[in-house]
């Protein structure tokens, strides 16, 4: 009897010890998570380059395993080529032909595709957002929808993205698109050339348009901003991933102010105030990445600054359509929206 009692007490003590150890492990895990959570803003402040990687996400070259020299796997009537914007920087571009030029394009060499840019069909320079590459499904869908509607579409992978060399920076991305614009203008004759920026690409689009106007006196034919932000600092404050830090002491200093230390500004709210180009802003009400308030605010800033109010236009898309941040290209009316806009600002 005494032996059984001692055995039972031992089991209880053992169970208590196990319970204590489990509680200790849980507490230690929670402490480790808190330390990790609290240290991230300080690490970002000390190493701004980490913030650049998060903003550009060029290391996430999705989809994987793409042979960029074979765009026909994703898009018919599309050719791949490379441009060198400065020593050591070569980037890839896909050129999707308008529907009305596709039959005669068969078996033609690259020079024919360059000459086709002067056929009076409008030319879209598509500037994608962060992460991924020019083969991502919504980017491919955009090129298909717009080229089917008789637009040339040139989709660029900036430096550091996909098969392009170099590392991304705001100055570098601006340089790449500026070089592409000049390359296209040298071959496109009187064809309308349009900047179409999506997400991060909207900041690049306004940067380039402003530089062209202020340094060269060139007015871009039209600028389309899909899911834009006002500037990268305000965008970072809206990102879903920063939500857990918005109440963190020093959030603005440690994270938002570090944008400037990382040389990232993308000041579209300042850029649009000096542009003379027609601007079309498109935003979905259910955009969870960059809230539609950014698009509305940017529209008001641009319209208030413009001498011609009618060339600044804003179109919102109801949440019921489910376009969110990336899927406006699923809207079958997108080509007509652009054509009607171009017609209205002539």
């Amino acid at each position: 009897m005494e032996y059984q009692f001692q055995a039972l007490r031992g089991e209880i003590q053992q169970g208590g010890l196990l319970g204590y150890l489990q509680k200790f492990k849980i507490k230690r895990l929670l402490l480790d998570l808190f330390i990790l959570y609290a240290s991230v803003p300080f690490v970002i402040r000390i190493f701004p380059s980490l913030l650049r990687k998060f903003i550009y996400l060029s290391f996430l070259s999705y989809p994987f395993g793409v042979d960029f020299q074979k765009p026909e796997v994703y898009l018919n009537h599309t050719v791949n080529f490379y441009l060198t914007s400065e020593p050591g920087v070569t980037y890839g571009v896909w050129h999707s032909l308008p529907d009305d030029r596709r039959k005669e394009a068969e078996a033609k060499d690259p020079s024919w595709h360059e000459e086709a840019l002067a056929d009076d069909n409008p030319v879209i320079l598509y500037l994608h957002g962060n992460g991924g590459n020019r083969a991502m499904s919504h980017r491919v869908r955009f090129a298909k929808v717009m080229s089917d509607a008789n637009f040339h579409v040139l989709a660029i992978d900036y430096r550091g993205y996909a098969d392009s060399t170099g590392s991304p920076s705001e100055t570098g991305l601006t340089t790449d698109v500026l070089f592409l614009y000049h390359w296209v203008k040298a071959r496109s004759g009187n064809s309308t050339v349009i900047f179409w920026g999506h997400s991060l690409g909207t900041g690049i689009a306004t940067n380039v348009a402003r530089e062209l106007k202020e340094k060269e006196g060139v007015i871009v034919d039209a600028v389309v901003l899909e899911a834009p932000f006002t500037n990268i600092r305000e965008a970072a404050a809206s990102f879903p991933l920063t939500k857990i830090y918005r109440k963190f002491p020093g959030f603005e200093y440690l994270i938002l102010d570090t944008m400037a230390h990382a040389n990232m500004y993308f000041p579209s709210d300042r850029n649009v105030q000096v542009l003379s180009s027609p601007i079309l802003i498109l935003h979905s009400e259910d955009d969870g990445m960059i809230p539609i308030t950014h698009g509305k605010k940017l529209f008001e800033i641009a319209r208030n600054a413009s001498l011609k109010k009618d060339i600044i236009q804003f179109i919102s898309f109801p949440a019921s359509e489910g376009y969110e941040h990336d899927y406006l290209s699923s809207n079958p009316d997108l080509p007509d929206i652009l054509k009607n806009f171009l017609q209205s600002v002539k």
Side-chain angles (χ1 to χ4, degrees), residues 81-93 156-160 164-167 169 171-183:
F81 65 95
Y82 297 94
L83 296 175
T84 300
S85 57
E86 58 187 23
V89 177
T90 298
Y91 58 85
V93 183
I156 173 179
D157 264 322
Y158 327 104
R159 65 183 65 196
S164 304
T165 62
S167 299
S169 67
T171 301
L173 271 54
T174 300
T175 298
D176 294 344
V177 175
L178 188 62
F179 188 90
L180 176 61
Y181 176 81
H182 286 306
W183 185 90

Side-chain angles (χ1 to χ4, degrees), residues 261-282:
H261 286 272
N263 294 315
M264 294 185 295
Y265 303 93
F266 295 102
S268 288
D269 50 354
R270 296 204 301 268
N271 291 341
V272 297
Q273 295 183 59
V274 301
L275 298 183
S276 301
S277 302
I279 300 174
L280 173 61
I281 296 175
L282 308 174

Side-chain angles (χ1 to χ4, degrees), residues 311-328:
I311 69 170
I312 311 297
Q313 299 182 22
F314 176 84
I315 299 176
S316 63
F317 299 83
S320 59
E321 298 291 339
Y323 296 136
E324 299 180 331
H325 185 64
D326 289 331
Y327 303 110
L328 278 183

Side-chain angles (χ1 to χ4, degrees), residues 283-288 290-292 296 316-320 323-324:
H283 220 131
S284 180
E285 292 177 353
D286 62 341
D287 190 331
I290 301 176
I292 194 172
K296 290 179 177 179
S316 63
F317 299 83
S320 59
Y323 296 136
E324 299 180 331

Side-chain angles (χ1 to χ4, degrees), residues 134-156:
R134 57 193 184 275
M136 283 189 76
S137 60
H138 66 278
R139 296 167 187 170
V140 167
R141 187 185 305 111
F142 175 86
K144 183 180 187 310
V145 166
M146 302 309 286
S147 61
D148 283 350
N150 286 327
F151 289 90
H152 289 273
V153 180
L154 282 82
I156 173 179

Side-chain angles (χ1 to χ4, degrees), residues 102-122:
R102 292 172 179 172
K103 277 191 175 180
E104 58 184 306
E106 295 178 7
K108 294 295 195 299
D109 61 19
S111 63
W112 182 92
H113 289 80
E114 291 184 25
E115 293 169 3
L117 289 168
D119 62 9
D120 289 333
N121 284 312

Side-chain angles (χ1 to χ4, degrees), residues 40-48 50-52 54-55 170 229-266 270 289 294 297:
V40 167
F42 294 96
V43 171
I44 286 175
R45 184 68 184 185
I46 297 170
F47 302 103
L50 295 177
L51 194 58
R52 281 196 295 270
F54 170 76
I55 294 297
E170 183 168 357
F229 51 82
T230 50
N231 58 68
I232 199 65
R233 189 181 190 278
E234 291 185 1
S238 302
F239 288 159
L241 286 177
T242 63
K243 187 175 182 178
I244 60 174
Y245 286 104
R246 289 172 199 165
K247 301 297 182 181
F248 189 89
F251 169 66
E252 291 196 8
Y253 172 77
L254 294 171
I255 296 181
L256 299 186
D257 291 351
T258 304
M259 292 288 178
H261 286 272
N263 294 315
M264 294 185 295
Y265 303 93
F266 295 102
R270 296 204 301 268
M289 183 63 66
H294 280 262
K297 183 178 179 180

Side-chain angles (χ1 to χ4, degrees), residues 4-52:
Q4 290 178 339
F5 175 77
Q6 290 177 347
L8 179 60
R9 188 173 65 174
E11 289 177 4
I12 293 173
Q13 290 176 341
Q14 186 179 20
L17 179 61
L18 289 174
Y20 171 78
L21 289 174
Q22 288 175 344
K23 289 180 181 179
F24 176 79
K25 287 180 180 179
I26 292 173
K27 289 180 180 179
R28 181 58 187 268
L29 176 61
L30 291 175
L31 178 62
D32 289 345
L33 289 174
F34 175 77
I35 292 172
L36 177 62
Y37 164 79
S39 64
V40 167
F42 294 96
V43 171
I44 286 175
R45 184 68 184 185
I46 297 170
F47 302 103
S49 60
L50 295 177
L51 194 58
R52 281 196 295 270

